[in-house]
Amino acid sequence: MSSTSSLAGKKLVLNTLLETDHYESLIKELTCKKCNKYMRPPIHLCVDGHSLCGKCFEKSFQCHVCQKEFASIRPVALESLANKILFPCTNKGCPKHSVLSQLDIHNTHCQFRIINCFMSRVYGECKWKGCAGDWMDHCFQEHCDKVTDLPFITVKNKWDAKRTEPVLNYFLLRCYEKVFNVYQIYDKRGGRMMWTVLVNDENAEKYYFEIDIFLPNLPSKRITYRRPCKCEKDADFLEHTQNVYIPVENVFSMLDEDEQINFIVRIGEVENLPLFNAPTASESMILLQDEDHGVAKQE
């Protein structure tokens, strides 16, 4: 038997085991009867042996089942089992089973979790609620001007001086088999405009984004910045020095006759970028000397 078929057989056996009534009853024994959540160490017992998770124990004075006091001993075997068993994801329809530490990570990005449309937090007009995995399809149907399957998006946006929300725009670019989240933020206190791009990839810096601000009828005026993308799990991404920051007066200078800002957001792969070779010290001196004499150096 090949290693591939052997692995497939083990997965089949495991999946069959996870679906048995015996395994479900084991999960129930490791579920707190008070909060109905999976128990993880520390697990506590009352004098009659009823179990309780650590968070509920901290809020309780007596057992919620028999109203008796708590025991001073801990169920070591039960805690050991809680660290090893594969718990099912609590989101309806999700087939994922994992140990609790990995399940916590999974739950953050589970495609079966119920979410509200993030567009409503920025634009305040969408009432959609559903599975995270269906959200992109919803955006392409209802927010087609904010999403694209291309590695770039061109924006023409009216400047509104009265707007108080910090997030001015939010876009989704689905490319390179990833979804890139583009934020345009107005830092009124700091007097600057900021752009940043997040992607659900631990190696987010293998992608870059460009902000290209331009005036359609004046090609000599243009502002272009390039920065690495950042991972969605980067909690302090708004404070990150690798975001694009532009003083707001510079942005104002790029407003067109309709007081609109025109910009393009581009996504690319870093490995495809050419390297720039800086001139050597001697070459720099030659260039300076040529400039001083006002003529090109001749051999």
Side-chain angles (χ1 to χ4, degrees), residues 151-152 173 175-176 180 197 207-209 229 265-269:
F152 63 89
L173 279 67
C175 51
Y176 304 108
F180 294 83
V197 175
Y207 303 102
Y208 69 89
F209 71 97
C229 294
V265 182
R266 299 188 188 91
I267 306 294
E269 294 178 299

Side-chain angles (χ1 to χ4, degrees), residues 54-196:
K55 289 185 177 180
C56 287
F57 172 78
E58 293 175 357
K59 302 174 184 177
S60 305
F61 299 98
Q62 59 185 12
C63 177
H64 61 289
V65 178
C66 64
Q67 282 73 52
K68 293 183 180 180
E69 67 273 17
F70 293 110
S72 58
I73 60 173
R74 292 258 299 279
V76 177
L78 197 62
E79 291 183 340
S80 178
L81 191 60
N83 281 328
K84 297 174 182 176
I85 201 160
L86 301 178
F87 289 89
C89 177
T90 55
N91 294 314
K92 185 178 180 180
C94 182
K96 179 73 173 181
H97 285 70
S98 185
V99 295
L100 287 175
S101 59
Q102 293 298 315
L103 199 61
D104 291 340
I105 299 173
H106 162 79
N107 284 335
T108 307
H109 302 284
C110 178
Q111 293 299 290
F112 290 86
R113 73 190 190 280
I114 302 300
I115 63 171
N116 294 312
C117 180
F118 187 78
M119 293 290 181
S120 65
R121 296 176 60 183
V122 180
Y123 305 108
E125 55 191 26
C126 185
K127 304 299 182 183
W128 182 88
K129 185 176 183 180
C131 288
D134 297 330
W135 182 53
M136 281 298 295
D137 291 336
H138 157 75
C139 287
F140 272 95
Q141 292 176 5
E142 303 297 332
H143 308 289
C144 54
D145 59 329
K146 308 295 182 185
V147 295
T148 177
D149 274 325
L150 299 172
F152 63 89
I153 187 168
T154 304
V155 182
K156 187 177 182 68
N157 191 229
K158 180 77 173 179
W159 175 257
D160 183 1
K162 296 181 180 179
R163 185 162 183 173
T164 57
E165 298 86 355
V167 181
L168 298 180
N169 281 300
Y170 173 69
F171 308 101
L172 295 170
L173 279 67
R174 187 165 60 184
C175 51
Y176 304 108
E177 299 181 350
K178 303 286 182 181
V179 175
F180 294 83
N181 301 265
V182 180
Y183 294 84
Q184 180 193 2
I185 297 173
Y186 177 34
D187 178 9
K188 190 172 184 179
R189 179 177 297 180
R192 59 187 181 176
M193 194 77 73
M194 186 196 83
W195 281 267
T196 190

